[in-house]
Amino acid sequence: MATVTRKEIAVGESGGGPVRRAEGAPFVSRSAELALLDAALKHMGAGGPAVVEVAGEAGIGKSRLLAEFGALARRRGAAVLRGRATEYERHSPFGPFTDAFADADSRMLKVFPALREVPPPVRGTGGPDGPWRGDRFGLHRATAHALRGIRGARLVVVLDDLHWADPASLELVDHLVRHPVPAPFLLVVAHRDRQAPVALSAALSRRADTGAVTRVALGPLSERACVEELAPDLPVPRAAEMYAASEGNPLYFLALLQAHRPPRLPGTSGFPAGGRPPPRTAPRPRAAATRRWTAVPCPRAVTAR
């Protein structure tokens, strides 16, 4: 099994409850989405989807889902490379790809010698033969040909924030979508729906109907998940007010939660009583709780196709 240097620690499995990290807020209410990614992992290279698209608005939890999936994939024995597009590097060709392949150390190259054949511009290296001398279409074909050489172990490449991707990266993603790699290789891309470039949206939507692309659309968290899992130490009415203000966006909910709580001391969890949320002094009436949660519908449903 190959490992990479990126530090992403997750504790626990996806089934039977929330997956919690060693630090930070619990990972909640995304078991269905994580299961879709897990299914793609199990069937990669064996007729399953070649690409998984993770989409949703800013702060909805795309990067957190990708981190949990990366940890799960490693526990399943796959190697994971993660790259990210950035707002201020849109003019750097193949930015998210070079960011991902930068984590391919000597140990990984022994497991995946085919990665040495990925063209230097995509790997972000000058290479022994100097810069690439062919056209960009030849570069796309050479990259796909190198990835076809993956054997024995499974490789997952995760590219985040592709709404900021450079044109060269978008063209390469389009090629890999149109020409799925027949190897134990899975490409996972994430972007904000409303900010996605037209070229990216068109490439992914064209192939979704053929089964080559699996789409995972993240919607708001439920009120129950936010109140019970993310704010167990707050009175329910106060946490419910924060949920309504955040509209179920976990980033906004956690920001409101952080503003409400007193400043945390270094090395503590922010919870009283030794770093753990206090137990509830009395159980809430089940009927009353059920009526209140069913009365507040989720703003948008999570869909996947």
Side-chain angles (χ1 to χ4, degrees):
M1 177 176 64
T3 58
V4 295
T5 57
R6 193 179 298 275
K7 294 181 180 178
E8 294 170 348
I9 303 174
V11 179
E13 294 289 344
S14 60
V19 177
R20 295 182 181 271
R21 287 192 175 192
E23 296 181 359
F27 178 66
V28 300
S29 195
R30 298 297 191 200
S31 59
E33 294 84 354
L34 192 58
L36 286 171
L37 286 160
D38 192 22
L41 178 68
K42 291 177 180 177
H43 295 95
M44 60 191 291
V51 180
V52 177
E53 172 193 11
V54 178
E57 66 183 31
I60 205 66
K62 299 181 298 296
S63 296
R64 179 61 186 274
L65 176 64
L66 295 180
E68 299 295 338
F69 171 64
L72 176 62
R74 291 186 181 99
R75 294 197 297 274
R76 299 273 195 254
V80 181
L81 296 175
R82 284 196 67 180
R84 182 187 298 270
T86 60
E87 185 175 7
Y88 302 106
E89 295 181 355
R90 298 183 183 183
H91 301 295
S92 299
F94 305 107
F97 283 95
T98 61
D99 188 31
F101 285 116
D103 277 344
D105 57 17
S106 58
R107 292 174 301 166
M108 180 172 283
L109 292 176
K110 289 181 180 179
V111 178
F112 301 101
L115 294 183
R116 299 181 187 274
E117 305 302 320
V118 174
V122 180
R123 287 190 288 118
T125 63
D129 300 323
W132 179 260
R133 292 182 172 84
D135 59 36
R136 68 181 193 274
F137 301 111
L139 186 146
H140 299 162
R141 291 191 293 270
T143 301
H145 178 75
L147 295 174
R148 288 191 193 99
I150 294 174
R151 296 289 185 273
R154 295 177 296 172
L155 177 65
V156 179
V157 172
V158 178
L159 305 180
D160 201 359
D161 289 337
L162 283 197
H163 48 277
W164 285 326
D166 58 276
S169 293
L170 295 177
E171 286 189 354
L172 181 53
V173 169
D174 178 73
H175 182 87
L176 295 175
V177 168
R178 288 185 292 109
H179 304 280
V181 175
F185 169 77
L186 182 66
L187 179 64
V188 181
V189 300
H191 64 87
R192 297 176 186 170
D193 258 334
R194 298 181 184 180
Q195 293 179 244
V198 173
L200 178 64
S201 298
L204 294 170
S205 62
R206 279 197 303 266
R207 304 300 294 178
D209 294 337
T210 67
V213 177
T214 291
R215 176 177 167 87
V216 181
L218 298 186
L221 294 179
S222 68
E223 184 179 1
R224 184 186 297 272
C226 286
V227 172
E228 290 194 347
E229 297 292 341
L230 299 181
D233 58 321
L234 292 186
V236 171
R238 182 69 182 118
E241 290 176 1
M242 293 182 182
Y243 174 82
S246 71
E247 297 184 343
N249 184 297
L251 179 65
Y252 301 154
F253 182 83
L254 290 172
L256 291 171
L257 197 61
Q258 183 69 20
H260 175 82
R261 287 176 174 150
R264 55 186 290 187
L265 297 175
T268 67
S269 65
F271 290 120
R276 295 186 178 182
R280 297 188 184 274
T281 57
R284 293 190 306 274
R286 182 180 301 272
T290 301
R291 285 196 302 271
R292 188 170 63 79
W293 267 299
T294 54
V296 183
C298 189
R300 284 191 298 274
V302 175
T303 61
R305 69 173 190 270

